[in-house]
Amino acid sequence: MVFGMTDTIPTEFEVLDERFAGIGGDDKIEILHTGTRWAEGPVYFPAGRFLVWSDIPNERMLRWDEMTGAVGPFRQPSGYTNGNTLDREGRMISCEQGNRRVTRTEHDGSITVIADRWQGKRLNSPNDVVVRSDGSIWFTDPPYGIISNYEGVAAEQEIDGCHVYRVDPVTGEVRIVADDFVRPNGLAFSLDERRLYVADTRARHLRVFEVGDDGTLGGGKVFAEGVEGDNFDGLRLDDTGRVWAAAGKAVLCYDPDGTLIGRLRLPEFTANLVFGGLKRNRMFITAASSLYSLMTNVTGARPVWAGR
């Protein structure tokens, strides 16, 4: 189902700190599509000017075309894909919950498996993923895709715990870099890539780690606590280093010092977001049954494929 410009809702920016006072955008949020069971994993392809996102329970991925506004299927079955991102070559990296693996979609459409096991044991169900400029791939691995058949395939958990992993860009080694999470979820690097933000959904907080030159993580202090009972999900940064987090029925905005400075209200529970468009100032939000969009006066962080 495709919506035109008349299908909108009022934009509700809420200023919680004076540092958010100048942030704004369209006075209406566009509803680009509705009808998903649980929308997730938005990724914007600048070369084609289209967006792909996941509809996990329906085991499909959808595609929205920026030039025409048309929505159509991208991949079905999708292996219950959740999070997606682009690597340095503009190839899509995806977390397939049902297939319990992280994959790369090549330019010819073929699929390469990046990671599906750690020390011979099957991963739980990879959830979200980010690529660093050195080519390493980092992902979270909670069990949502194996605890039932709703978002994957019910199965036994082979690895003790839910961890954050790094895939070496040269050797392909899959290594645990953080092992003290309850339900690790969204993750994003700081602008200088010296810090890694990771959401722990069940613990209802965001943590921040120091990233070593050797790809190890240190620290891990709580960066932000959930508000209004919100569970943190997907994360993105803008080009000033502010952290934008999907949480509850909102997208929350945090200053780099950890202060919650503002909120964008939505009518549904949000799952993830991404900055796209020609100037990276169009925010796309996946929230339960719908894909939302609005132009803002905020620019997303420079993506890894554009260089650092």
Side-chain angles (χ1 to χ4, degrees):
M1 187 173 184
V2 180
F3 287 82
M5 289 296 292
T6 57
D7 295 285
T8 62
I9 57 173
T11 301
E12 296 183 52
F13 279 112
E14 183 178 350
V15 177
L16 303 176
D17 183 283
E18 62 180 9
R19 287 169 286 186
F20 196 75
I23 293 177
D26 293 336
D27 60 1
K28 299 288 186 181
I29 297 176
E30 297 175 72
I31 306 171
L32 300 180
H33 179 78
T34 193
T36 55
R37 291 187 183 276
W38 183 247
E40 251 284 11
V43 56
Y44 181 80
F45 290 78
R49 295 188 65 179
F50 63 89
L51 181 122
V52 170
W53 79 103
S54 304
D55 180 6
I56 305 174
N58 285 324
E59 201 188 353
R60 63 177 179 169
M61 301 171 75
L62 299 171
R63 180 184 187 275
W64 171 80
D65 186 270
E66 188 171 16
M67 300 298 290
T68 65
V71 171
F74 178 80
R75 179 177 294 161
Q76 190 171 20
S78 66
Y80 295 94
T81 291
N82 190 330
N84 303 283
T85 193
L86 297 182
D87 69 5
R88 295 180 302 174
E89 285 72 48
R91 299 169 298 186
M92 185 171 66
I93 309 296
S94 300
C95 291
E96 299 181 14
Q97 289 190 166
N99 293 329
R100 302 170 72 170
R101 64 187 190 178
V102 178
T103 61
R104 181 178 64 231
T105 300
E106 308 294 348
H107 292 305
D108 64 3
S110 61
I111 295 177
T112 300
V113 177
I114 300 298
D116 61 357
R117 296 176 184 271
W118 172 76
Q119 295 187 351
K121 300 177 182 179
R122 295 192 69 187
L123 298 171
N124 296 328
S125 57
N127 184 284
D128 209 353
V129 61
V130 65
V131 178
R132 201 163 181 243
S133 60
D134 64 358
S136 57
I137 296 171
W138 304 60
F139 66 93
T140 54
D141 190 40
Y144 299 123
I146 60 175
I147 58 177
S148 76
N149 291 317
Y150 184 71
E151 290 190 33
V153 180
E156 293 295 322
Q157 186 169 331
E158 298 183 17
I159 297 173
D160 183 19
C162 303
H163 311 311
V164 181
Y165 293 83
R166 176 186 184 270
V167 182
D168 188 273
V170 177
T171 67
E173 177 195 12
V174 180
R175 175 160 50 100
I176 294 174
V177 289
D179 61 1
D180 58 346
F181 279 83
V182 184
R183 293 290 186 268
N185 202 311
L187 68 174
F189 284 106
S190 62
L191 299 184
D192 62 4
E193 298 188 326
R194 305 304 299 179
R195 288 169 292 163
L196 178 68
Y197 300 95
V198 186
D200 194 329
T201 301
R202 183 70 61 83
R204 294 182 175 176
H205 60 217
L206 292 179
R207 296 172 62 188
V208 60
F209 294 83
E210 302 300 320
V211 183
D213 292 336
D214 58 354
T216 58
L217 296 183
K221 69 179 181 180
V222 174
F223 174 76
E225 299 278 4
V227 295
E228 300 183 352
D230 296 335
N231 294 322
F232 288 103
D233 204 325
L235 310 175
R236 291 293 188 276
L237 268 68
D238 65 29
D239 67 355
T240 71
R242 290 177 295 233
V243 180
W244 295 77
K249 291 185 177 182
V251 174
L252 307 178
C253 182
Y254 290 89
D255 187 83
D257 69 6
T259 302
L260 176 61
I261 61 174
R263 179 186 288 114
L264 174 62
R265 297 280 189 182
L266 275 297
E268 301 183 86
F269 286 100
T270 59
N272 217 323
L273 69 146
V274 70
F275 290 98
L278 290 176
K279 299 180 180 179
R280 300 196 309 277
N281 64 342
R282 186 169 188 171
M283 184 185 293
F284 297 92
I285 304 162
T286 50
S289 69
S290 305
L291 173 67
Y292 298 92
S293 171
L294 78 158
M295 297 289 287
T296 73
N297 60 1
V298 173
T299 302
R302 190 175 178 84
V304 66
W305 50 262
R308 295 290 180 180

